[in-house]
């Protein structure tokens, strides 16, 4: 089943890849995605279409590599990237700036439509020295939240020049990633293994709640919230472990799952099918975690990974999706873990899932699209 994946070699290391969101009520699979690069002399934001669907092969499989529609230079490494809407992309830079790029679909060009220059910066009492990397960005149009190496949290609005709110010393360590919990609440993860909830309705600049990994203070790199069960959160970090948290109870993770052999760079629940979760790592792997309850009825494509597939049988048939993620050890119940790219060697830095489609990008200067995730 591996030939469902189309590769495109690009002359830059890809740090972020994101599907363009589909308009509400549109049922077709996503057709455009954006990428950002890092560690190149000339970093770029690029918009791609997913190959030539018109030229379906005999079995209806799609052919053709992703096609570059347009690109634009980006100052600094792309640290994070999120679509704000159909046309605008918010990009976090290692220089500390946050830029909104607009994709003009009539003539296929990209332009910078707005920039918050030193959104993140290091400063001591003697110098207002340079920027601090903006490490994470999350959008809920028109709101944009950014976090950075400077321990700062910014709340921007797409149409306003100045920050709506800034929490200057939100964290004494590096903030690595951020996600929305609810309209006014965000969740951050930091480099000493802590999750913090912040409520913008509160005027004080203190977290509403703090959670932490026990013991080792392992730096956390990524976080995602379950799309329907807002109290369920997944994080990953330097040790490659997947942690599942229930923010209604306790201050520690509900489960710690052995995952990758090196840093986990991104974790994403499938937005419309959240019993599926995806993680990618510095070790060159991209794992599909499946807690759905009908594994026995699935076609054998899940075993495509050969010996890298750990198939775990299941005790109780009526395990609900939610309790599968929240049981003390989801793997004891029903979970199947498949490495979707068994032979990759260099870091898989980013992934995104939407509908039946997966996109991921690597340090091997390639982007990959799988349009039949659940085939």
């Amino acid at each position: 089943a591996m030939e469902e994946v189309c590769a495109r070699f690009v002359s830059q290391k890809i740090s972020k890849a994101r599907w363009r969101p589909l308009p509400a009520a549109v049922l077709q699979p996503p057709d455009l995605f954006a990428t950002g690069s890092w560690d190149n002399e000339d970093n770029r934001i690029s918009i791609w279409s997913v190959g030539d669907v018109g030229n379906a092969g005999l079995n209806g499989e799609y052919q053709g590599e992703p096609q570059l529609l347009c690109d634009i230079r980006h100052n600094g490494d792309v640290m994070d990237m999120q679509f704000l809407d159909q046309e605008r992309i918010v990009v976090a830079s290692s220089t500390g700036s946050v830029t909104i790029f607009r994709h003009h679909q009539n003539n296929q060009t990209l332009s910078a439509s707005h920039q918050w220059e030193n959104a993140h910066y290091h400063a001591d009492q003697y110098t207002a020295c340079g920027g601090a990397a903006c490490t994470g960005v999350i959008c809920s149009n028109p709101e944009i939240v950014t976090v950075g190496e400077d321990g700062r949290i910014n709340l921007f609005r797409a149409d306003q020049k100045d920050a709506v709110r800034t929490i200057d010393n939100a964290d004494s360590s590096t903030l690595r990633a951020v996600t929305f919990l609810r309209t006014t609440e965000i969740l951050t993860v930091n480099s000493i293994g802590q999750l913090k909830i912040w409520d913008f309705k509160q005027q004080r600049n203190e977290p509403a709640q703090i959670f932490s990994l026990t013991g080792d203070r392992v730096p956390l790199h990524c976080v995602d919230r379950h799309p329907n069960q807002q109290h369920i959160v997944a994080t990953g970090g330097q040790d490659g472990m997947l942690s599942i948290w229930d923010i209604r109870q306790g201050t520690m993770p509900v489960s710690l799952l052995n995952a990758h052999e090196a840093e986990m760079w991104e974790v994403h629940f499938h937005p419309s099918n959240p019993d599926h979760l995806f993680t990618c790592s510095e070790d060159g792997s991209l794992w599909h975690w499946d807690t759905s309850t009908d594994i026995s009825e699935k076609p054998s494509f899940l075993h495509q990974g050969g010996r890298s597939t750990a198939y775990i049988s299941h005790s109780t048939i009526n395990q609900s999706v939610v309790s599968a993620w929240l049981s003390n050890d989801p793997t004891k119940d029903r979970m199947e873990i498949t490495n979707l790219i068994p032979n990759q060697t260099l870091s898989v830095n980013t992934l995104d899932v939407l509908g039946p489609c997966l996109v991921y990008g690597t340090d091997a200067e390639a982007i990959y699209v799988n349009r039949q995730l659940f085939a």
Side-chain angles (χ1 to χ4, degrees):
M2 292 270 78
E3 58 278 358
E4 290 154 14
V5 179
C6 284
R8 166 86 189 231
F9 291 92
V10 293
S11 50
Q12 40 192 4
K13 295 180 183 175
I14 298 296
S15 58
K16 291 293 155 185
R18 297 287 179 253
W19 289 112
R20 179 178 70 171
L22 291 165
V26 166
L27 293 175
Q28 81 232 34
D31 54 348
L32 288 190
F33 63 92
T35 59
S37 68
W38 80 288
D39 195 29
N40 307 290
E41 278 180 37
D42 185 14
N43 288 304
R44 305 193 84 74
I45 305 295
S46 309
I47 304 277
W48 308 84
S49 71
V50 292
D52 190 353
V53 191
N55 289 347
L58 292 174
N59 304 324
E61 75 277 15
Y62 105 110
Q63 300 178 325
E65 54 181 31
Q67 299 300 309
L68 178 66
L69 296 177
C70 51
D71 65 355
I72 192 171
R73 198 168 172 277
H74 177 266
N75 194 14
D77 291 341
V78 173
M79 303 292 288
D80 200 4
M81 183 164 75
Q82 296 287 332
F83 273 88
L84 182 67
D85 54 28
Q86 301 288 301
E87 289 170 355
R88 290 178 295 173
I89 311 164
V90 184
V91 181
S93 171
S94 58
T95 65
S97 70
V98 176
T99 310
I100 301 180
F101 290 94
R102 185 179 287 274
H103 173 214
H104 306 274
Q105 293 175 55
N106 52 351
N107 60 359
Q108 292 304 342
T109 56
L110 273 165
S111 65
S113 64
H114 190 80
Q115 185 170 67
W116 292 282
E117 237 172 315
N118 287 315
H120 295 272
Y121 56 92
H122 290 298
D124 58 41
Q125 60 203 96
Y126 310 108
T127 60
C129 70
C134 177
T135 50
V137 59
I138 193 79
C139 304
S140 177
N141 192 4
E143 260 84 37
I144 297 164
V145 177
T146 70
V147 297
E149 252 171 28
D150 51 0
R152 191 174 269 110
I153 298 173
N154 291 307
L155 172 61
F156 296 112
R157 263 197 206 105
D159 44 9
Q160 294 182 18
K161 190 163 68 73
D162 298 317
V164 177
R165 174 96 182 263
T166 294
I167 303 176
D168 270 324
N169 299 305
D171 212 301
S172 53
S173 62
T174 294
L175 288 169
R176 290 287 176 78
V178 59
T179 191
F180 273 102
L181 282 180
R182 293 178 187 77
T183 319
T184 63
E185 279 184 341
I186 58 160
L187 184 75
T188 58
V189 297
N190 70 13
S191 59
I192 55 169
Q194 294 174 320
L195 275 72
K196 297 183 183 180
I197 296 179
W198 306 83
D199 186 350
F200 287 126
K201 289 200 303 285
Q202 305 283 330
Q203 282 317 297
R204 53 197 193 91
N205 292 339
E206 302 290 322
Q209 252 177 304
I210 300 180
F211 304 81
S212 58
L213 290 168
T214 44
D216 296 338
R217 299 190 146 206
V218 174
L220 290 170
H221 294 328
C222 54
V223 59
D224 196 26
R225 190 206 79 203
H226 190 290
N228 315 332
Q229 307 282 327
Q230 295 177 327
H231 52 278
I232 301 178
V233 170
T235 62
Q238 188 172 288
D239 59 0
M241 298 276 280
L242 172 65
S243 306
I244 306 290
W245 311 69
D246 180 348
I247 59 174
R248 299 168 305 184
Q249 52 185 354
T251 56
M252 295 185 305
V254 181
S255 55
L256 289 167
L257 299 166
N258 272 316
H260 302 279
E261 286 162 29
E263 286 92 340
M264 182 189 296
W265 293 129
E266 289 199 7
V267 56
H268 292 290
F269 285 101
H270 191 286
S272 53
N273 205 346
D275 44 352
H276 297 268
L277 178 124
F278 298 83
T279 58
C280 63
S281 168
E282 178 73 28
D283 69 11
S285 61
L286 191 160
W287 285 17
H288 174 188
W289 307 69
D290 179 359
T291 62
S292 63
T293 48
D294 56 350
I295 283 174
S296 53
E297 293 134 45
K298 282 197 178 142
S300 60
F301 89 103
L302 280 165
H303 302 283
Q304 67 190 258
R307 55 193 177 78
S308 60
T309 298
Y311 178 64
I312 294 139
S313 68
H314 183 60
S315 45
T316 50
I317 294 304
N318 292 327
Q319 190 79 20
S320 80
V321 170
V322 176
S323 58
W325 284 123
L326 290 186
S327 64
N328 287 333
D329 181 3
T331 51
K332 275 205 194 71
D333 296 316
R334 169 167 292 198
M335 185 181 292
E336 185 164 36
I337 304 157
T338 308
N339 180 6
L340 296 181
I341 35 175
N343 304 317
Q344 160 77 13
T345 50
L346 292 180
S347 178
V348 183
N349 297 323
T350 182
L351 73 95
D352 198 23
V353 280
L354 187 58
C357 300
L358 163 73
V359 60
Y360 57 96
T362 73
D363 271 355
E365 305 198 337
I367 49 181
Y368 300 84
V369 174
N370 177 346
R371 294 181 31 113
Q372 301 183 341
L373 255 189
F374 304 109

